[in-house]
Amino acid sequence: MDFSKGVLFDPGYSKYTLAFATNIDAVYNVIFSMKAMHQRKFKFQTVYPQILKLLEHTVGFYLGCLLWATFITQNFKDEPKEILENDYLGRSVKEDEMLFEVNYAISYFDKLKKDCKYYLGKNCNLPNDWFEIMSVYKDFLKINNFLVDAKSTEDIKLPKEIKKLSKEDLDKILEVIDSVVKSGDFKELFKIKNLILC
């Protein structure tokens, strides 16, 4: 990536993002279109892997945003760079609208746990850190006032949970982000999650 003119607000994630609320609602519409309970249970069982994949993709995107923010903030700490193509800059935004997707995904965790018990008769084993990633991301948005004032890398605040990184760690983050931007496979980011979060 070329940082000579500044850093991009989005390193290239946006072309792979999915609206979690819209997609999960579509899945449940299919489930509820079944009249009989045994049909609904069977349908839930068949779409459950898709639900997990969608959730993983969403959490991976949020993790990617935290990794990118960590990289551009810490890598350019001594020589801040202009943030390019920040569509939120100077905008008037509403908190509930800006947090809608992340809140929807966070609240879905409890719903999914209940639905697994109800439809599958078992606990769903979600990774423990998924909820943590979403909570830290939500905090990141709030402490940065949804990035409406982020003109430069020095304007970005990182949540207290984010670690201070070495140059090697920052280089590793950039390498993985670069790979994910080419592949669209957000789950690769989970391999480096421990670099920024315990």
Side-chain angles (χ1 to χ4, degrees):
M1 289 187 194
D2 177 17
F3 300 120
S4 56
K5 293 178 181 169
V7 299
L8 286 168
F9 181 77
D10 166 26
Y13 298 147
S14 60
K15 58 182 175 273
Y16 305 114
T17 53
L18 300 164
F20 180 77
T22 307
N23 281 280
I24 207 72
D25 286 352
V27 169
Y28 276 84
N29 285 341
V30 171
I31 294 166
F32 292 134
S33 70
M34 307 288 158
K35 298 253 189 297
M37 186 48 70
H38 72 277
Q39 289 177 311
R40 285 187 184 182
K41 286 186 175 181
F42 179 73
K43 183 49 87 174
F44 186 88
Q45 195 172 358
T46 59
V47 298
Y48 181 59
Q50 292 170 264
I51 290 172
L52 288 182
K53 210 168 173 56
L54 177 61
L55 201 48
E56 178 185 68
H57 188 84
T58 301
V59 177
F61 168 71
Y62 294 148
L63 175 59
C65 295
L66 290 172
L67 286 161
W68 183 241
T70 302
F71 172 77
I72 64 173
T73 305
Q74 294 188 20
N75 195 62
F76 302 111
K77 188 167 52 112
D78 298 329
E79 289 180 44
K81 295 272 184 186
E82 183 185 351
I83 295 174
L84 309 170
E85 298 176 27
N86 177 0
D87 293 338
Y88 295 101
L89 190 63
R91 271 181 49 190
S92 172
V93 296
K94 293 182 178 162
E95 181 169 320
D96 57 339
E97 288 174 11
M98 295 302 287
L99 292 177
F100 175 77
E101 278 289 319
V102 70
N103 280 338
Y104 201 97
I106 287 171
S107 66
Y108 182 68
F109 270 75
D110 282 337
K111 176 169 175 47
L112 183 57
K113 286 174 185 171
K114 287 175 188 159
D115 286 349
C116 280
K117 282 214 167 129
Y118 185 71
Y119 291 113
L120 304 177
K122 62 178 187 181
N123 292 327
C124 55
N125 296 316
L126 298 172
N128 293 329
D129 58 358
W130 283 11
F131 186 82
E132 177 204 10
I133 290 165
M134 291 201 289
S135 300
V136 173
Y137 177 71
K138 180 178 174 179
D139 184 40
F140 167 74
L141 290 178
K142 289 172 85 170
I143 63 173
N144 284 286
N145 192 27
F146 308 103
L147 303 161
V148 298
D149 304 313
K151 293 178 185 166
S152 155
T153 52
E154 65 184 341
D155 296 331
I156 294 180
K157 303 176 193 82
L158 295 176
K160 62 185 181 311
E161 294 87 349
I162 304 276
K163 300 176 192 173
K164 296 269 188 293
L165 305 186
S166 67
K167 183 75 176 98
E168 290 85 21
D169 288 343
L170 290 168
D171 289 345
K172 178 69 179 169
I173 286 174
L174 183 60
E175 181 190 318
V176 177
I177 287 174
D178 204 32
S179 168
V180 167
V181 164
K182 290 180 181 116
S183 71
D185 191 1
F186 286 132
K187 80 168 176 288
E188 288 299 302
L189 298 169
F190 291 107
K191 294 175 183 171
I192 56 166
K193 175 247 171 191
N194 287 344
L195 291 179
I196 63 165
L197 293 167
C198 294

